[in-house]
PDB file of all heavy atoms in Angstrom:
ATOM      1  N   MET A   1       0.812  -1.221   0.013  1.00 95.00           N
ATOM      2  CA  MET A   1       0.033   0.059   0.035  1.00 95.00           C
ATOM      3  C   MET A   1       0.788   1.280  -0.052  1.00 95.00           C
ATOM      4  O   MET A   1       0.236   2.397  -0.130  1.00 95.00           O
ATOM      5  CB  MET A   1      -0.970   0.037   1.229  1.00 95.00           C
ATOM      6  CG  MET A   1      -1.993  -1.070   1.132  1.00 95.00           C
ATOM      7  SD  MET A   1      -3.048  -1.055   2.605  1.00 95.00           S
ATOM      8  CE  MET A   1      -4.262  -2.445   2.185  1.00 95.00           C
ATOM      9  N   TYR A   2       2.190   1.150   0.272  1.00 92.00           N
ATOM     10  CA  TYR A   2       2.983   2.357   0.246  1.00 92.00           C
ATOM     11  C   TYR A   2       4.216   1.981  -0.591  1.00 92.00           C
ATOM     12  O   TYR A   2       5.170   1.468  -0.114  1.00 92.00           O
ATOM     13  CB  TYR A   2       3.398   2.743   1.657  1.00 92.00           C
ATOM     14  CG  TYR A   2       4.104   4.088   1.746  1.00 92.00           C
ATOM     15  CD1 TYR A   2       3.415   5.254   1.961  1.00 92.00           C
ATOM     16  CD2 TYR A   2       5.559   4.082   1.484  1.00 92.00           C
ATOM     17  CE1 TYR A   2       4.134   6.440   1.970  1.00 92.00           C
ATOM     18  CE2 TYR A   2       6.171   5.310   1.502  1.00 92.00           C
ATOM     19  CZ  TYR A   2       5.509   6.514   1.821  1.00 92.00           C
ATOM     20  OH  TYR A   2       6.181   7.736   1.804  1.00 92.00           O
ATOM     21  N   PRO A   3       4.254   2.424  -1.887  1.00 92.00           N
ATOM     22  CA  PRO A   3       5.411   2.105  -2.793  1.00 92.00           C
ATOM     23  C   PRO A   3       6.657   2.823  -2.267  1.00 92.00           C
ATOM     24  O   PRO A   3       6.669   4.102  -2.093  1.00 92.00           O
ATOM     25  CB  PRO A   3       4.938   2.664  -4.143  1.00 92.00           C
ATOM     26  CG  PRO A   3       3.434   2.785  -4.042  1.00 92.00           C
ATOM     27  CD  PRO A   3       3.112   3.056  -2.622  1.00 92.00           C
ATOM     28  N   ILE A   4       7.658   2.116  -2.050  1.00 96.00           N
ATOM     29  CA  ILE A   4       8.927   2.671  -1.670  1.00 96.00           C
ATOM     30  C   ILE A   4       9.854   2.812  -2.865  1.00 96.00           C
ATOM     31  O   ILE A   4       9.933   1.846  -3.615  1.00 96.00           O
ATOM     32  CB  ILE A   4       9.648   1.736  -0.537  1.00 96.00           C
ATOM     33  CG1 ILE A   4       8.747   1.582   0.663  1.00 96.00           C
ATOM     34  CG2 ILE A   4      11.015   2.355  -0.188  1.00 96.00           C
ATOM     35  CD1 ILE A   4       9.249   0.664   1.694  1.00 96.00           C
ATOM     36  N   PRO A   5      10.443   3.959  -3.056  1.00 96.00           N
ATOM     37  CA  PRO A   5      11.285   4.117  -4.212  1.00 96.00           C
ATOM     38  C   PRO A   5      12.394   3.032  -4.326  1.00 96.00           C
ATOM     39  O   PRO A   5      12.900   2.561  -3.266  1.00 96.00           O
ATOM     40  CB  PRO A   5      11.933   5.558  -4.047  1.00 96.00           C
ATOM     41  CG  PRO A   5      10.885   6.188  -3.197  1.00 96.00           C
ATOM     42  CD  PRO A   5      10.357   5.187  -2.226  1.00 96.00           C
ATOM     43  N   ASN A   6      12.734   2.647  -5.481  1.00 96.00           N
ATOM     44  CA  ASN A   6      13.724   1.588  -5.747  1.00 96.00           C
ATOM     45  C   ASN A   6      15.081   1.831  -5.028  1.00 96.00           C
ATOM     46  O   ASN A   6      15.634   0.891  -4.450  1.00 96.00           O
ATOM     47  CB  ASN A   6      13.932   1.228  -7.186  1.00 96.00           C
ATOM     48  CG  ASN A   6      12.665   0.653  -7.849  1.00 96.00           C
ATOM     49  OD1 ASN A   6      11.858   0.069  -7.241  1.00 96.00           O
ATOM     50  ND2 ASN A   6      12.516   0.830  -9.212  1.00 96.00           N
ATOM     51  N   ASP A   7      15.542   3.069  -5.134  1.00 96.00           N
ATOM     52  CA  ASP A   7      16.860   3.326  -4.511  1.00 96.00           C
ATOM     53  C   ASP A   7      16.790   3.276  -3.019  1.00 96.00           C
ATOM     54  O   ASP A   7      17.748   2.816  -2.374  1.00 96.00           O
ATOM     55  CB  ASP A   7      17.272   4.752  -4.973  1.00 96.00           C
ATOM     56  CG  ASP A   7      16.368   5.888  -4.478  1.00 96.00           C
ATOM     57  OD1 ASP A   7      15.112   5.626  -4.502  1.00 96.00           O
ATOM     58  OD2 ASP A   7      16.851   6.967  -4.235  1.00 96.00           O
ATOM     59  N   ILE A   8      15.621   3.569  -2.382  1.00 97.00           N
ATOM     60  CA  ILE A   8      15.457   3.494  -0.997  1.00 97.00           C
ATOM     61  C   ILE A   8      15.335   1.943  -0.656  1.00 97.00           C
ATOM     62  O   ILE A   8      15.947   1.557   0.398  1.00 97.00           O
ATOM     63  CB  ILE A   8      14.218   4.170  -0.504  1.00 97.00           C
ATOM     64  CG1 ILE A   8      14.340   5.593  -0.785  1.00 97.00           C
ATOM     65  CG2 ILE A   8      14.000   3.984   1.060  1.00 97.00           C
ATOM     66  CD1 ILE A   8      15.429   6.312  -0.130  1.00 97.00           C
ATOM     67  N   GLU A   9      14.661   1.208  -1.359  1.00 97.00           N
ATOM     68  CA  GLU A   9      14.554  -0.299  -1.062  1.00 97.00           C
ATOM     69  C   GLU A   9      15.914  -0.893  -1.200  1.00 97.00           C
ATOM     70  O   GLU A   9      16.319  -1.779  -0.409  1.00 97.00           O
ATOM     71  CB  GLU A   9      13.682  -0.926  -2.076  1.00 97.00           C
ATOM     72  CG  GLU A   9      12.156  -0.681  -1.830  1.00 97.00           C
ATOM     73  CD  GLU A   9      11.244  -1.734  -2.334  1.00 97.00           C
ATOM     74  OE1 GLU A   9      11.651  -2.550  -3.164  1.00 97.00           O
ATOM     75  OE2 GLU A   9      10.055  -1.838  -1.884  1.00 97.00           O
ATOM     76  N   LEU A  10      16.771  -0.480  -2.156  1.00 96.00           N
ATOM     77  CA  LEU A  10      18.025  -0.988  -2.302  1.00 96.00           C
ATOM     78  C   LEU A  10      18.952  -0.680  -1.032  1.00 96.00           C
ATOM     79  O   LEU A  10      19.693  -1.504  -0.580  1.00 96.00           O
ATOM     80  CB  LEU A  10      18.783  -0.505  -3.522  1.00 96.00           C
ATOM     81  CG  LEU A  10      20.178  -1.014  -3.896  1.00 96.00           C
ATOM     82  CD1 LEU A  10      20.119  -2.535  -4.001  1.00 96.00           C
ATOM     83  CD2 LEU A  10      20.689  -0.295  -5.102  1.00 96.00           C
ATOM     84  N   GLN A  11      18.786   0.594  -0.575  1.00 97.00           N
ATOM     85  CA  GLN A  11      19.519   0.942   0.616  1.00 97.00           C
ATOM     86  C   GLN A  11      19.018   0.140   1.807  1.00 97.00           C
ATOM     87  O   GLN A  11      19.835  -0.407   2.601  1.00 97.00           O
ATOM     88  CB  GLN A  11      19.220   2.425   0.891  1.00 97.00           C
ATOM     89  CG  GLN A  11      19.908   2.936   2.174  1.00 97.00           C
ATOM     90  CD  GLN A  11      19.576   4.356   2.513  1.00 97.00           C
ATOM     91  OE1 GLN A  11      18.566   4.971   1.978  1.00 97.00           O
ATOM     92  NE2 GLN A  11      20.237   4.938   3.472  1.00 97.00           N
ATOM     93  N   LEU A  12      17.672  -0.138   1.987  1.00 96.00           N
ATOM     94  CA  LEU A  12      17.217  -0.876   3.088  1.00 96.00           C
ATOM     95  C   LEU A  12      17.711  -2.297   3.056  1.00 96.00           C
ATOM     96  O   LEU A  12      18.009  -2.832   4.102  1.00 96.00           O
ATOM     97  CB  LEU A  12      15.681  -0.760   3.140  1.00 96.00           C
ATOM     98  CG  LEU A  12      15.112   0.582   3.446  1.00 96.00           C
ATOM     99  CD1 LEU A  12      13.539   0.593   3.245  1.00 96.00           C
ATOM    100  CD2 LEU A  12      15.383   0.936   4.910  1.00 96.00           C
ATOM    101  N   VAL A  13      17.617  -2.937   1.911  1.00 95.00           N
ATOM    102  CA  VAL A  13      17.972  -4.288   1.784  1.00 95.00           C
ATOM    103  C   VAL A  13      19.387  -4.561   2.075  1.00 95.00           C
ATOM    104  O   VAL A  13      19.776  -5.702   2.549  1.00 95.00           O
ATOM    105  CB  VAL A  13      17.492  -4.933   0.456  1.00 95.00           C
ATOM    106  CG1 VAL A  13      18.554  -4.571  -0.653  1.00 95.00           C
ATOM    107  CG2 VAL A  13      17.294  -6.370   0.520  1.00 95.00           C
ATOM    108  N   ASN A  14      20.199  -3.583   1.930  1.00 94.00           N
ATOM    109  CA  ASN A  14      21.649  -3.716   2.176  1.00 94.00           C
ATOM    110  C   ASN A  14      22.087  -3.087   3.563  1.00 94.00           C
ATOM    111  O   ASN A  14      23.292  -3.010   3.860  1.00 94.00           O
ATOM    112  CB  ASN A  14      22.502  -3.044   1.099  1.00 94.00           C
ATOM    113  CG  ASN A  14      22.380  -3.861  -0.176  1.00 94.00           C
ATOM    114  OD1 ASN A  14      22.781  -5.025  -0.214  1.00 94.00           O
ATOM    115  ND2 ASN A  14      21.872  -3.255  -1.239  1.00 94.00           N
ATOM    116  N   THR A  15      21.102  -2.721   4.369  1.00 96.00           N
ATOM    117  CA  THR A  15      21.424  -2.195   5.658  1.00 96.00           C
ATOM    118  C   THR A  15      21.286  -3.254   6.764  1.00 96.00           C
ATOM    119  O   THR A  15      20.218  -3.981   6.802  1.00 96.00           O
ATOM    120  CB  THR A  15      20.374  -0.998   6.068  1.00 96.00           C
ATOM    121  OG1 THR A  15      20.604   0.002   5.100  1.00 96.00           O
ATOM    122  CG2 THR A  15      20.654  -0.484   7.453  1.00 96.00           C
ATOM    123  N   PRO A  16      22.269  -3.530   7.556  1.00 96.00           N
ATOM    124  CA  PRO A  16      22.158  -4.547   8.607  1.00 96.00           C
ATOM    125  C   PRO A  16      21.025  -4.168   9.549  1.00 96.00           C
ATOM    126  O   PRO A  16      20.678  -3.039   9.657  1.00 96.00           O
ATOM    127  CB  PRO A  16      23.513  -4.393   9.348  1.00 96.00           C
ATOM    128  CG  PRO A  16      24.460  -3.780   8.318  1.00 96.00           C
ATOM    129  CD  PRO A  16      23.644  -2.885   7.504  1.00 96.00           C
ATOM    130  N   THR A  17      20.481  -5.242  10.192  1.00 97.00           N
ATOM    131  CA  THR A  17      19.292  -5.064  11.001  1.00 97.00           C
ATOM    132  C   THR A  17      19.466  -3.970  12.115  1.00 97.00           C
ATOM    133  O   THR A  17      18.617  -3.140  12.276  1.00 97.00           O
ATOM    134  CB  THR A  17      18.957  -6.426  11.696  1.00 97.00           C
ATOM    135  OG1 THR A  17      18.681  -7.370  10.718  1.00 97.00           O
ATOM    136  CG2 THR A  17      17.687  -6.262  12.604  1.00 97.00           C
ATOM    137  N   GLU A  18      20.618  -3.948  12.703  1.00 95.00           N
ATOM    138  CA  GLU A  18      20.925  -2.962  13.781  1.00 95.00           C
ATOM    139  C   GLU A  18      20.879  -1.539  13.274  1.00 95.00           C
ATOM    140  O   GLU A  18      20.602  -0.629  14.060  1.00 95.00           O
ATOM    141  CB  GLU A  18      22.176  -3.278  14.475  1.00 95.00           C
ATOM    142  CG  GLU A  18      22.244  -4.623  15.273  1.00 95.00           C
ATOM    143  CD  GLU A  18      22.566  -5.793  14.402  1.00 95.00           C
ATOM    144  OE1 GLU A  18      22.612  -5.644  13.200  1.00 95.00           O
ATOM    145  OE2 GLU A  18      22.779  -6.863  15.025  1.00 95.00           O
ATOM    146  N   GLY A  19      21.111  -1.353  12.033  1.00 97.00           N
ATOM    147  CA  GLY A  19      21.134   0.040  11.529  1.00 97.00           C
ATOM    148  C   GLY A  19      19.869   0.479  10.824  1.00 97.00           C
ATOM    149  O   GLY A  19      19.847   1.697  10.391  1.00 97.00           O
ATOM    150  N   LEU A  20      18.825  -0.299  10.830  1.00 97.00           N
ATOM    151  CA  LEU A  20      17.598   0.043  10.075  1.00 97.00           C
ATOM    152  C   LEU A  20      16.931   1.344  10.561  1.00 97.00           C
ATOM    153  O   LEU A  20      16.453   2.137   9.825  1.00 97.00           O
ATOM    154  CB  LEU A  20      16.593  -1.067  10.039  1.00 97.00           C
ATOM    155  CG  LEU A  20      16.960  -2.271   9.106  1.00 97.00           C
ATOM    156  CD1 LEU A  20      15.953  -3.437   9.369  1.00 97.00           C
ATOM    157  CD2 LEU A  20      16.906  -1.784   7.699  1.00 97.00           C
ATOM    158  N   LYS A  21      16.858   1.431  11.882  1.00 96.00           N
ATOM    159  CA  LYS A  21      16.237   2.559  12.444  1.00 96.00           C
ATOM    160  C   LYS A  21      16.936   3.866  12.188  1.00 96.00           C
ATOM    161  O   LYS A  21      16.357   5.001  12.337  1.00 96.00           O
ATOM    162  CB  LYS A  21      16.004   2.398  14.016  1.00 96.00           C
ATOM    163  CG  LYS A  21      14.959   1.505  14.362  1.00 96.00           C
ATOM    164  CD  LYS A  21      14.694   1.413  15.824  1.00 96.00           C
ATOM    165  CE  LYS A  21      14.147   2.789  16.362  1.00 96.00           C
ATOM    166  NZ  LYS A  21      13.800   2.760  17.822  1.00 96.00           N
ATOM    167  N   ASP A  22      18.211   3.908  11.829  1.00 96.00           N
ATOM    168  CA  ASP A  22      19.052   5.032  11.590  1.00 96.00           C
ATOM    169  C   ASP A  22      18.917   5.550  10.125  1.00 96.00           C
ATOM    170  O   ASP A  22      19.383   6.676   9.790  1.00 96.00           O
ATOM    171  CB  ASP A  22      20.467   4.761  11.938  1.00 96.00           C
ATOM    172  CG  ASP A  22      20.661   4.453  13.387  1.00 96.00           C
ATOM    173  OD1 ASP A  22      19.943   5.022  14.238  1.00 96.00           O
ATOM    174  OD2 ASP A  22      21.557   3.610  13.717  1.00 96.00           O
ATOM    175  N   VAL A  23      18.334   4.645   9.311  1.00 97.00           N
ATOM    176  CA  VAL A  23      18.177   5.121   7.895  1.00 97.00           C
ATOM    177  C   VAL A  23      17.188   6.362   7.803  1.00 97.00           C
ATOM    178  O   VAL A  23      16.145   6.385   8.516  1.00 97.00           O
ATOM    179  CB  VAL A  23      17.583   4.036   7.084  1.00 97.00           C
ATOM    180  CG1 VAL A  23      17.283   4.442   5.670  1.00 97.00           C
ATOM    181  CG2 VAL A  23      18.522   2.761   7.026  1.00 97.00           C
ATOM    182  N   LYS A  24      17.647   7.317   7.090  1.00 96.00           N
ATOM    183  CA  LYS A  24      16.864   8.601   6.992  1.00 96.00           C
ATOM    184  C   LYS A  24      15.441   8.378   6.634  1.00 96.00           C
ATOM    185  O   LYS A  24      14.485   9.014   7.153  1.00 96.00           O
ATOM    186  CB  LYS A  24      17.556   9.560   5.978  1.00 96.00           C
ATOM    187  CG  LYS A  24      16.919  10.956   5.951  1.00 96.00           C
ATOM    188  CD  LYS A  24      17.679  11.825   4.961  1.00 96.00           C
ATOM    189  CE  LYS A  24      17.038  13.166   4.801  1.00 96.00           C
ATOM    190  NZ  LYS A  24      17.761  14.048   3.819  1.00 96.00           N
ATOM    191  N   PHE A  25      15.119   7.538   5.622  1.00 97.00           N
ATOM    192  CA  PHE A  25      13.791   7.206   5.208  1.00 97.00           C
ATOM    193  C   PHE A  25      12.918   6.723   6.337  1.00 97.00           C
ATOM    194  O   PHE A  25      11.700   7.067   6.532  1.00 97.00           O
ATOM    195  CB  PHE A  25      13.761   6.237   4.063  1.00 97.00           C
ATOM    196  CG  PHE A  25      12.440   5.799   3.582  1.00 97.00           C
ATOM    197  CD1 PHE A  25      11.654   6.652   2.762  1.00 97.00           C
ATOM    198  CD2 PHE A  25      11.962   4.565   3.972  1.00 97.00           C
ATOM    199  CE1 PHE A  25      10.447   6.221   2.327  1.00 97.00           C
ATOM    200  CE2 PHE A  25      10.717   4.184   3.522  1.00 97.00           C
ATOM    201  CZ  PHE A  25       9.938   4.979   2.718  1.00 97.00           C
ATOM    202  N   ILE A  26      13.436   5.836   7.152  1.00 97.00           N
ATOM    203  CA  ILE A  26      12.760   5.321   8.357  1.00 97.00           C
ATOM    204  C   ILE A  26      12.461   6.396   9.338  1.00 97.00           C
ATOM    205  O   ILE A  26      11.269   6.544   9.821  1.00 97.00           O
ATOM    206  CB  ILE A  26      13.510   4.152   8.991  1.00 97.00           C
ATOM    207  CG1 ILE A  26      13.813   3.031   7.982  1.00 97.00           C
ATOM    208  CG2 ILE A  26      12.778   3.680  10.264  1.00 97.00           C
ATOM    209  CD1 ILE A  26      12.519   2.416   7.356  1.00 97.00           C
ATOM    210  N   GLN A  27      13.402   7.213   9.629  1.00 96.00           N
ATOM    211  CA  GLN A  27      13.230   8.304  10.555  1.00 96.00           C
ATOM    212  C   GLN A  27      12.208   9.380  10.070  1.00 96.00           C
ATOM    213  O   GLN A  27      11.398   9.778  10.871  1.00 96.00           O
ATOM    214  CB  GLN A  27      14.598   8.984  10.843  1.00 96.00           C
ATOM    215  CG  GLN A  27      15.609   8.170  11.663  1.00 96.00           C
ATOM    216  CD  GLN A  27      15.102   7.924  13.097  1.00 96.00           C
ATOM    217  OE1 GLN A  27      14.560   8.849  13.698  1.00 96.00           O
ATOM    218  NE2 GLN A  27      15.346   6.758  13.647  1.00 96.00           N
ATOM    219  N   GLU A  28      12.243   9.715   8.827  1.00 96.00           N
ATOM    220  CA  GLU A  28      11.473  10.814   8.275  1.00 96.00           C
ATOM    221  C   GLU A  28      10.048  10.327   7.791  1.00 96.00           C
ATOM    222  O   GLU A  28       9.176  11.197   7.888  1.00 96.00           O
ATOM    223  CB  GLU A  28      12.183  11.508   7.218  1.00 96.00           C
ATOM    224  CG  GLU A  28      13.491  12.213   7.717  1.00 96.00           C
ATOM    225  CD  GLU A  28      14.119  13.040   6.591  1.00 96.00           C
ATOM    226  OE1 GLU A  28      13.652  12.940   5.367  1.00 96.00           O
ATOM    227  OE2 GLU A  28      15.116  13.701   6.840  1.00 96.00           O
ATOM    228  N   VAL A  29       9.959   9.159   7.375  1.00 96.00           N
ATOM    229  CA  VAL A  29       8.638   8.662   6.827  1.00 96.00           C
ATOM    230  C   VAL A  29       7.991   7.649   7.738  1.00 96.00           C
ATOM    231  O   VAL A  29       6.849   7.830   8.098  1.00 96.00           O
ATOM    232  CB  VAL A  29       8.851   8.135   5.421  1.00 96.00           C
ATOM    233  CG1 VAL A  29       7.505   7.640   4.785  1.00 96.00           C
ATOM    234  CG2 VAL A  29       9.528   9.057   4.417  1.00 96.00           C
ATOM    235  N   ALA A  30       8.699   6.575   8.064  1.00 95.00           N
ATOM    236  CA  ALA A  30       7.975   5.550   8.773  1.00 95.00           C
ATOM    237  C   ALA A  30       7.568   6.103  10.251  1.00 95.00           C
ATOM    238  O   ALA A  30       6.620   5.557  10.705  1.00 95.00           O
ATOM    239  CB  ALA A  30       8.970   4.310   9.024  1.00 95.00           C
ATOM    240  N   MET A  31       8.294   6.988  10.773  1.00 95.00           N
ATOM    241  CA  MET A  31       7.973   7.440  12.088  1.00 95.00           C
ATOM    242  C   MET A  31       6.893   8.533  12.099  1.00 95.00           C
ATOM    243  O   MET A  31       6.498   9.035  13.218  1.00 95.00           O
ATOM    244  CB  MET A  31       9.238   8.072  12.805  1.00 95.00           C
ATOM    245  CG  MET A  31      10.325   6.948  13.062  1.00 95.00           C
ATOM    246  SD  MET A  31       9.770   5.670  14.209  1.00 95.00           S
ATOM    247  CE  MET A  31      11.309   4.829  14.467  1.00 95.00           C
ATOM    248  N   GLN A  32       6.283   8.836  10.982  1.00 94.00           N
ATOM    249  CA  GLN A  32       5.299   9.935  10.888  1.00 94.00           C
ATOM    250  C   GLN A  32       3.988   9.489  11.694  1.00 94.00           C
ATOM    251  O   GLN A  32       3.386  10.271  12.442  1.00 94.00           O
ATOM    252  CB  GLN A  32       4.855  10.258   9.442  1.00 94.00           C
ATOM    253  CG  GLN A  32       5.854  11.035   8.694  1.00 94.00           C
ATOM    254  CD  GLN A  32       5.361  11.424   7.401  1.00 94.00           C
ATOM    255  OE1 GLN A  32       4.235  11.773   7.185  1.00 94.00           O
ATOM    256  NE2 GLN A  32       6.255  11.390   6.349  1.00 94.00           N
ATOM    257  N   ASN A  33       3.586   8.265  11.390  1.00 94.00           N
ATOM    258  CA  ASN A  33       2.395   7.777  12.086  1.00 94.00           C
ATOM    259  C   ASN A  33       2.417   6.226  12.053  1.00 94.00           C
ATOM    260  O   ASN A  33       3.259   5.651  11.329  1.00 94.00           O
ATOM    261  CB  ASN A  33       1.062   8.324  11.500  1.00 94.00           C
ATOM    262  CG  ASN A  33       0.891   7.932  10.085  1.00 94.00           C
ATOM    263  OD1 ASN A  33       0.914   6.751   9.700  1.00 94.00           O
ATOM    264  ND2 ASN A  33       0.683   8.948   9.263  1.00 94.00           N
ATOM    265  N   SER A  34       1.551   5.548  12.829  1.00 95.00           N
ATOM    266  CA  SER A  34       1.494   4.173  12.938  1.00 95.00           C
ATOM    267  C   SER A  34       1.166   3.458  11.597  1.00 95.00           C
ATOM    268  O   SER A  34       1.692   2.312  11.347  1.00 95.00           O
ATOM    269  CB  SER A  34       0.600   3.691  14.075  1.00 95.00           C
ATOM    270  OG  SER A  34       0.979   4.110  15.296  1.00 95.00           O
ATOM    271  N   GLY A  35       0.323   4.041  10.775  1.00 93.00           N
ATOM    272  CA  GLY A  35      -0.052   3.490   9.500  1.00 93.00           C
ATOM    273  C   GLY A  35       1.171   3.419   8.628  1.00 93.00           C
ATOM    274  O   GLY A  35       1.479   2.384   8.001  1.00 93.00           O
ATOM    275  N   PHE A  36       1.882   4.511   8.516  1.00 96.00           N
ATOM    276  CA  PHE A  36       3.138   4.462   7.650  1.00 96.00           C
ATOM    277  C   PHE A  36       4.156   3.427   8.191  1.00 96.00           C
ATOM    278  O   PHE A  36       4.779   2.710   7.482  1.00 96.00           O
ATOM    279  CB  PHE A  36       3.798   5.898   7.595  1.00 96.00           C
ATOM    280  CG  PHE A  36       3.069   6.822   6.592  1.00 96.00           C
ATOM    281  CD1 PHE A  36       3.291   8.148   6.729  1.00 96.00           C
ATOM    282  CD2 PHE A  36       2.171   6.414   5.761  1.00 96.00           C
ATOM    283  CE1 PHE A  36       2.748   9.060   5.820  1.00 96.00           C
ATOM    284  CE2 PHE A  36       1.541   7.226   4.808  1.00 96.00           C
ATOM    285  CZ  PHE A  36       1.836   8.575   4.915  1.00 96.00           C
ATOM    286  N   ALA A  37       4.287   3.476   9.551  1.00 97.00           N
ATOM    287  CA  ALA A  37       5.306   2.498  10.105  1.00 97.00           C
ATOM    288  C   ALA A  37       4.927   1.128   9.795  1.00 97.00           C
ATOM    289  O   ALA A  37       5.799   0.326   9.458  1.00 97.00           O
ATOM    290  CB  ALA A  37       5.335   2.721  11.652  1.00 97.00           C
ATOM    291  N   TYR A  38       3.588   0.758   9.858  1.00 96.00           N
ATOM    292  CA  TYR A  38       3.199  -0.606   9.601  1.00 96.00           C
ATOM    293  C   TYR A  38       3.448  -0.985   8.163  1.00 96.00           C
ATOM    294  O   TYR A  38       3.952  -2.043   7.867  1.00 96.00           O
ATOM    295  CB  TYR A  38       1.731  -0.790   9.959  1.00 96.00           C
ATOM    296  CG  TYR A  38       1.210  -2.142   9.953  1.00 96.00           C
ATOM    297  CD1 TYR A  38       1.549  -3.055  10.954  1.00 96.00           C
ATOM    298  CD2 TYR A  38       0.378  -2.585   8.943  1.00 96.00           C
ATOM    299  CE1 TYR A  38       1.089  -4.321  10.985  1.00 96.00           C
ATOM    300  CE2 TYR A  38      -0.153  -3.827   8.879  1.00 96.00           C
ATOM    301  CZ  TYR A  38       0.247  -4.720   9.885  1.00 96.00           C
ATOM    302  OH  TYR A  38      -0.223  -6.091   9.868  1.00 96.00           O
ATOM    303  N   MET A  39       3.031  -0.131   7.213  1.00 97.00           N
ATOM    304  CA  MET A  39       3.125  -0.434   5.848  1.00 97.00           C
ATOM    305  C   MET A  39       4.594  -0.610   5.437  1.00 97.00           C
ATOM    306  O   MET A  39       5.025  -1.584   4.713  1.00 97.00           O
ATOM    307  CB  MET A  39       2.499   0.619   4.931  1.00 97.00           C
ATOM    308  CG  MET A  39       0.980   0.770   5.028  1.00 97.00           C
ATOM    309  SD  MET A  39       0.195   1.893   3.896  1.00 97.00           S
ATOM    310  CE  MET A  39       0.623   3.451   4.696  1.00 97.00           C
ATOM    311  N   ILE A  40       5.444   0.249   5.868  1.00 97.00           N
ATOM    312  CA  ILE A  40       6.858   0.240   5.537  1.00 97.00           C
ATOM    313  C   ILE A  40       7.556  -0.979   6.229  1.00 97.00           C
ATOM    314  O   ILE A  40       8.382  -1.661   5.565  1.00 97.00           O
ATOM    315  CB  ILE A  40       7.553   1.511   5.995  1.00 97.00           C
ATOM    316  CG1 ILE A  40       7.049   2.634   4.988  1.00 97.00           C
ATOM    317  CG2 ILE A  40       9.123   1.409   5.787  1.00 97.00           C
ATOM    318  CD1 ILE A  40       7.431   4.043   5.431  1.00 97.00           C
TER     319      ILE A  40
END
């Protein structure tokens, strides 16, 4: 339900688990509300 740009997906898939929360996209988009957090 929330298309993630390909370049962001590539960044996420290559980010170790411990570093996922520090990714800018996660901080700026996923943290906006619970709906976005869940979809992402």
